[in-house]
Amino acid sequence: MAPSPLNSIVFVLVGTQHPGNIGSAARALLVMGLARLRLVRPHRFPDEHADAMASGAVDLLRRAEVYDSLDAAVEDCAWVVGTSARVRYLGDEPLLPEAAARSLLDAAGKGATVALVFGCERTGLTNEEADRCHRLTMVPANPEYSSLNLAAAVQIYAWELRRAAITPQPVAARSDETFMKGRFRAPTMEQMEQFFEHLERTLIGTGFIDPTNPRLLTRRLRTLFNRARPDLNELNILRGILTSVEKPKHRTPRTKGPARTPPSASSASVRRPPPPDAAGAPETADGPE
């Protein structure tokens, strides 16, 4: 039996302030068959309040991985979706929870590790943290009171993932890890970050980006390439193009043989119709009429 794509989905909590929310999130994950939790700079962890709120999910809580930065927490992930309580000025329209869950499962079904990222309770994800995500998602809550508890938000997305996993989609052959030795698999977040750094360095070198104020344009470029979702082979092509801009290769043009001269009209064998007789009458099979 093939492993469930839910096993490849990581929930990442960034800067969580109350340990009880970490415990409640662990319980919400276990109920829906999810088991991977990563914590980025939690204010208090481990903590007895987290254990109490986890109830029967203490083992999942014990396996939670703690990181110093979001970059480190998602560097092995090929698709990262961040949660947001507001629409950002830059970037695409946020995905609804159902669409976000399907995008995560599609990528996980291809053998990739994927992540769903939640910001801290008070401020959510910062702009810099949101930049580390391929797409954002938002719960369409009551606009007059959209404050959603962190653990409640985790429960909503955990349910959407489980619901989408009930009817898994077929895996495309080109995205299979075994196809062409994984050449067409999705790049990891670390590989995408290396590409973005390469892109920014090249554009600064050509003068296209002002190095004193590159952030607005680079954020738009991130949105563009995250929407395109290049596979690893395409990403390598793009990096090859950037390298050719940084270090141009002067190729020697191919030499061609002598041009072939078409035969002149005088030497060409041209078949002309026989001339008419003196009276201008046409010929017949028996001769002139």
Side-chain angles (χ1 to χ4, degrees):
M1 183 176 179
S4 170
L6 294 177
N7 297 336
S8 298
I9 299 174
V10 176
F11 275 62
V12 182
L13 308 185
V14 181
T16 309
Q17 297 169 308
H18 197 291
N21 282 331
I22 299 175
S24 296
R27 182 176 182 178
L29 295 182
L30 188 60
V31 168
M32 295 301 161
L34 294 144
R36 301 180 66 180
L37 179 63
R38 295 179 181 178
L39 308 174
V40 178
R41 301 185 308 274
H43 285 216
R44 301 201 314 268
F45 185 82
D47 189 273
E48 61 182 9
H49 289 94
D51 292 351
M53 296 304 293
S55 188
V58 174
D59 286 345
L60 190 155
L61 203 59
R62 294 285 182 268
R63 296 194 302 272
E65 304 169 63
V66 180
Y67 294 84
D68 292 329
S69 69
L70 178 59
D71 282 345
V74 300
E75 68 177 1
D76 63 332
C77 299
W79 182 243
V80 180
V81 177
T83 58
S84 178
R86 65 186 189 277
V87 178
R88 310 274 173 153
Y89 171 69
L90 293 176
D92 295 330
E93 182 178 354
L95 298 171
L96 292 175
E98 181 180 2
R102 175 47 59 195
S103 76
L104 287 161
L105 277 174
D106 285 346
K110 298 167 185 173
T113 299
V114 300
L116 184 61
V117 183
F118 296 79
C120 75
E121 298 93 327
R122 187 171 60 87
T123 59
L125 294 175
T126 65
N127 287 335
E128 289 73 19
E129 290 164 347
D131 283 344
R132 296 297 182 267
C133 304
H134 294 100
R135 289 295 300 269
L136 295 179
T137 177
M138 185 173 65
V139 176
N142 178 3
E144 296 180 3
Y145 186 72
S146 59
S147 178
L148 191 62
N149 175 266
L150 173 60
V154 169
Q155 185 71 82
I156 289 172
Y157 284 96
W159 159 240
E160 289 292 351
L161 284 163
R162 183 160 190 83
R163 185 162 72 98
I166 294 173
T167 53
Q169 301 297 308
V171 177
R174 284 174 62 88
S175 302
D176 193 308
E177 285 288 324
T178 61
F179 180 75
M180 295 289 289
K181 299 180 179 180
R183 199 173 300 165
F184 297 99
R185 68 178 183 272
T188 64
M189 199 63 188
E190 182 181 21
Q191 291 168 326
M192 287 299 298
E193 284 303 315
Q194 291 169 351
F195 165 69
F196 288 134
E197 291 171 6
H198 194 175
L199 177 63
E200 183 173 348
R201 183 174 69 246
T202 304
L203 295 181
I204 289 175
T206 62
F208 188 78
I209 285 182
D210 179 1
T212 63
N213 186 29
R215 297 182 61 184
L216 189 62
L217 179 58
T218 54
R219 188 169 293 165
R220 289 186 184 278
L221 290 171
R222 279 178 174 271
T223 299
L224 187 156
F225 284 106
N226 285 336
R227 187 192 309 126
R229 298 181 69 175
D231 60 36
L232 189 57
N233 186 55
E234 292 165 337
L235 194 67
N236 288 335
I237 292 172
L238 290 171
R239 294 204 64 180
I241 294 172
L242 294 177
T243 299
S244 73
V245 173
E246 291 178 315
K247 302 174 181 178
K249 291 183 179 180
H250 300 288
R251 299 183 184 275
T252 304
R254 292 182 179 180
T255 57
K256 298 181 179 180
R260 187 177 178 180
T261 306
S264 62
S266 59
S267 61
S269 175
V270 180
R271 184 177 181 181
R272 294 183 174 85
D277 63 359
E283 280 191 355
T284 65
D286 299 323
E289 292 182 348

